[in-house]
Amino acid sequence: MVAGGATAVLAACTCTEPPGGMPQPTQAGSDPGRGFPWFKDPAPFIEHDSKSLESRLENMQGLITPNRLFFVRNNSASLSLGASEWRLAVEGNAVAGAMELTYDDIRSLPSRTLTCYLECAGNHRAMFDLVKGQKASGTQWMTGGVSNGEWAGAALRDVLTLAGIHASAVSVLLVGLDAKSPEGGFRYVLPVEKAMHPETLLAYTLNGETLPKDHGFPLRVLVPGWVGSANIKWLGRIVVSSERMWTRNNTTSYVLVGDRYPPQGESRGEPVTVQVIKSALALPWPGELAAGRHRIGGYAHSPTGLISRVEWSADSGRTWTDAEVSGRQPDRSWARFEFVWEAEPGERTIMTRATDVEGNTQPDWVPFNERGYLFNQPVPHPIRVT
């Protein structure tokens, strides 16, 4: 652990290079014999572009998503970093002094394990077009930009405490080492209250294994209940400021822009932070089934509480029937649900609607936003019954 004088926060906001002394990361796309921007096999996924691997919910059989099936959303190719050379810089005008932490330093801090789903803010984006007839910009995710895993790591607040965080702290800027991403490293600003929450982790394992390269090895941020962009991968820098900080990701990119979203501060609209309650069937899109009795499953999740109820409808929402919700929902996990459907021949749709223990329910309608974030209307899933 190396300590030094405090660094000006504004300088950190404009920096486009990794912290000093860091090795230049290797892009996965140059990995011999691969030619992919990821390290994992893309075959089980829906490939949208060179940055996105969407999970197929129908391939998931249990509560935990296996690492090989866990979705990927990058802003550049995955990185290959060595743990021994990696450093985490902590600085800013709201800490006692700048410092660097090694991988061993992080691993020596008290460890916490948390089961938590992770979801891209644009998951279900394609539904703005398919359901509402208004196409939003960005990767046209269907329902698989989400996965559920068991994470282990140190609490971010323990690192901030080591750095001597001041009572004046307002913002915590998290910066990744993916220098080919926008701003020379993908970044997100957390309010200090969320950064100091005991569940906000610096994760180094996923499902009992060393954090995979595609998911941020050696260290990533885990912010339960917040959109995926807050969960910075390949973390290399933390800047703590006594003033509210602004980056691309809370001014123009991860922002709700539309008639119902007035500008906030330096942002074009409403910055995207907390996720929304959702549910989806574990079936291909469109689905295809033989006529007869079927037991159909799916997944539901909420950022604010456990799922207490899932309903399903096969008549466009005119009538709803309760599904069976799995009783096991550890920590911030998603929930599994199942129901029995007597499928009759023809073109059918099934909709699902989730409610959590806080009383939050998927709405019948959501307003359009230009970048297609946080769609959570009940989705009419098409199924051909033969």
Side-chain angles (χ1 to χ4, degrees), residues 55 57 60 71 117-120 123 143-148 301 334:
S55 295
L57 297 185
M60 301 182 189
F71 88 101
Y117 76 91
L118 182 64
E119 182 182 24
C120 178
N123 193 31
T143 61
V146 59
S147 297
N148 193 52
H301 46 86
W334 65 14

Side-chain angles (χ1 to χ4, degrees), residues 17-332:
E17 298 297 330
M22 291 296 297
Q24 184 66 33
T26 299
Q27 301 294 331
S30 63
D31 194 35
R34 291 300 303 275
F36 298 119
W38 313 284
F39 288 92
K40 63 173 60 180
D41 181 3
F45 299 89
I46 300 169
E47 292 186 60
H48 288 291
D49 50 42
S50 62
K51 302 172 185 177
S52 304
L53 294 176
E54 178 175 345
S55 295
R56 298 179 186 271
L57 297 185
E58 65 269 23
N59 289 342
M60 301 182 189
Q61 301 301 314
L63 194 72
I64 300 299
T65 307
N67 290 356
R68 66 182 182 85
L69 299 179
F70 211 101
F71 88 101
V72 177
R73 169 67 173 105
N74 287 345
N75 285 274
S76 63
S78 292
L79 305 186
S80 180
L81 298 171
S84 61
E85 297 85 12
W86 173 88
R87 298 291 184 273
L88 174 63
V90 186
E91 55 195 42
N93 68 358
V95 291
M99 69 177 187
E100 282 190 345
L101 298 173
T102 67
Y103 187 68
D104 288 341
D105 289 334
I106 298 294
R107 294 296 298 251
S108 70
L109 294 172
S111 180
R112 173 166 186 170
T113 300
L114 189 72
T115 301
C116 181
Y117 76 91
L118 182 64
E119 182 182 24
C120 178
N123 193 31
H124 291 212
R125 178 182 283 129
M127 303 306 163
F128 277 107
D129 185 18
L130 296 175
V131 177
K132 300 171 73 70
Q134 293 177 280
K135 188 172 183 178
S137 63
T139 301
Q140 297 300 299
W141 294 93
M142 298 294 284
T143 61
V146 59
S147 297
N148 193 52
E150 184 179 83
W151 309 84
L156 173 56
R157 70 176 184 178
D158 287 348
V159 169
L160 298 178
T161 300
L162 276 178
I165 187 170
H166 295 168
S168 63
V170 171
S171 295
V172 178
L173 173 68
L174 309 164
V175 185
L177 291 171
D178 45 345
K180 292 187 177 181
S181 293
E183 298 184 282
F186 198 73
R187 54 192 66 195
Y188 193 94
V189 179
L190 290 179
V192 68
E193 296 80 11
K194 190 62 177 178
M196 294 295 285
H197 193 284
E199 288 186 342
T200 301
L201 301 185
L202 301 181
Y204 42 69
T205 73
L206 174 58
N207 296 333
E209 300 177 2
T210 300
L211 191 66
K213 293 178 179 180
D214 289 309
H215 298 287
F217 178 83
L219 196 72
R220 76 169 300 159
V221 183
L222 181 70
V223 189
W226 281 46
V227 293
S229 55
N231 298 256
I232 297 296
K233 295 192 280 190
W234 312 291
L235 184 67
R237 170 172 282 171
I238 299 173
V239 183
V240 188
S241 173
S242 60
E243 298 180 356
R244 187 171 184 184
M245 302 176 74
W246 299 95
T247 74
R248 168 184 175 271
N249 285 341
N250 63 2
T251 57
T252 61
S253 183
Y254 283 86
V255 176
L256 299 174
V257 178
D259 295 340
R260 293 175 175 263
Y261 305 105
Q264 296 185 13
E266 296 183 25
S267 175
R268 289 184 60 210
E270 181 182 327
V272 177
T273 56
V274 181
Q275 274 289 1
V276 290
I277 186 170
K278 289 182 184 176
S279 61
L281 296 177
L283 290 175
W285 186 290
E288 186 168 337
L289 295 172
R293 186 180 180 88
H294 295 274
R295 190 166 185 83
I296 296 175
Y299 295 90
H301 46 86
S302 172
T304 57
L306 300 180
I307 297 297
S308 61
R309 185 183 190 187
V310 176
E311 302 163 276
W312 65 279
S313 174
D315 59 7
S316 301
R318 290 188 294 274
T319 60
W320 293 89
T321 304
D322 282 345
E324 177 186 342
V325 179
S326 169
R328 182 169 177 260
Q329 294 178 58
D331 305 324
R332 298 299 194 97

Side-chain angles (χ1 to χ4, degrees), residues 334-353:
W334 65 14
R336 297 186 70 200
F337 64 85
E338 292 184 327
F339 58 89
V340 175
W341 181 43
E342 294 286 352
E344 297 181 356
E347 300 293 333
R348 310 296 180 190
T349 62
I350 292 181
M351 303 168 68
T352 61
R353 181 174 67 186

